[in-house]
Amino acid sequence: MSGARLLEADAARLASDAGLRASALGFVTEGDLVVLAGDCALLVGALTGVPFAELSDDDSAASVARLVGGTLRVMGKDVGREEHREVLGMMPAAVAMPDDMTPLELLRWEARLATGKRRGSGALAEAALQRVGLMPLAKRRISSLGVAERKGVALAAAIVGEPPALLLDHPLQGLDERGQLWMMRALEELASRHRLLIATPRLATDGSLGAIMGAASDIVVLRHGAVVAHGPPASLLSEASTFAVTVEHGAEALGERLQRMGVALDGGPLHFSVRLKPPHGPSDVLRAAHDTGAVVVACVPLVG
């Protein structure tokens, strides 16, 4: 596949009604399968428009995230002007569905919304259900479907308009081993026809989540509203231990000391990641902080 960068941010500032903020995000992704890992709910919320309570377990944070400054683009389409909805199909982590409808009825409605046309909506709905393997359930009530089956309907809704790119938020969430195997097969098929943005809670090197990381062309890791690591999986998931560091003050002096020690840093200034190869370990980060007078409030592994 080719075309504009799948996702790029230039001094992008995000905010939610609940007061969560991300300031001056800057990155340009590479390739056609990009993973957003870590604290990415605010970014995902700005892309999907889904109320923030549906992106977290905290019902008190019910609000909408939005771009309030800078630029954020999906395949060259401006998120601030909502142009990206022309090219991006979306599967939120939590999807509210009308229990009294069937998957086929819901997908027909989604097809009309995606294309603006009534004619042909039935064929598009059936094709989407066929692609995710749910045609046998097309006429069952949604209320009778399990977690994996509902997620399959949500996935079909994301692809029904045949968008060139898809955003899949926590696609493995709530799935048992069998459901994860089904989702992995679906992702493999989708990757042959769509560019994929996949949001995950963390980096991983094993299991289904690790397989997604390994297949990615690029990974962006966010923590506390900042990009703390960005690069290909070969870089972020190598033998080096990657830690997310949060500094209350003294970040510049600490960063300079770590770089003199040969430690690779990414992100900043107050939230960044360090890649520690032997003989260095997290204790060396804390020792460097003590020597420079920096106050480190967190130093936690990114991969796990």
Side-chain angles (χ1 to χ4, degrees), residues 7 20 28-29 50 90 110 129 249 252 270 276:
L7 183 64
L20 296 176
V28 177
T29 62
V50 173
M90 308 174 195
E110 293 285 353
L129 289 169
H249 64 77
E252 184 176 353
L270 299 181
L276 302 173

Side-chain angles (χ1 to χ4, degrees), residues 101-277:
M101 294 183 74
T102 68
L104 186 57
E105 290 169 340
L106 178 62
L107 267 292
R108 283 173 177 163
W109 177 252
E110 293 285 353
R112 292 174 196 171
L113 292 177
T115 64
K117 300 177 182 178
R118 183 185 183 92
R119 177 174 294 182
S121 61
L124 287 173
E126 291 180 7
L129 289 169
Q130 189 70 45
R131 285 183 61 193
V132 299
L134 289 183
M135 269 306 292
L137 306 179
K139 296 184 179 181
R140 280 179 49 180
R141 295 294 174 190
I142 290 176
S143 59
S144 69
L145 303 182
V147 173
E149 293 162 341
R150 283 174 172 258
K151 199 168 281 276
V153 174
L155 188 56
I159 66 175
V160 71
E162 286 292 336
L166 298 173
L167 169 59
L168 310 178
D169 186 17
H170 291 50
L172 302 178
Q173 180 176 291
L175 298 180
D176 58 17
E177 184 176 353
R178 182 178 178 182
Q180 290 189 22
L181 288 174
W182 166 81
M183 179 59 74
M184 294 302 293
R185 288 195 295 268
L187 292 179
E188 184 177 358
E189 193 276 335
L190 292 173
S192 67
R193 299 174 61 170
H194 305 269
R195 305 178 76 182
L196 301 182
L197 277 170
I198 301 178
T200 69
R202 65 186 189 282
L203 294 178
T205 57
D206 56 7
S208 296
L209 192 56
I212 291 175
M213 301 292 168
S217 55
D218 207 3
I219 300 174
V220 180
V221 185
L222 296 105
R223 183 173 173 82
H224 299 305
V227 175
V228 297
H230 177 207
S235 172
L236 297 187
L237 305 175
S238 68
E239 72 282 356
S241 297
T242 305
F243 285 75
V245 179
T246 298
V247 182
E248 193 170 86
H249 64 77
E252 184 176 353
L254 174 59
E256 291 175 353
R257 171 65 67 88
L258 292 173
Q259 288 178 325
R260 288 199 299 270
M261 292 166 53
V263 175
L265 279 70
D266 195 4
L270 299 181
H271 306 283
F272 56 89
S273 64
V274 294
R275 297 181 63 240
L276 302 173
K277 295 182 179 180

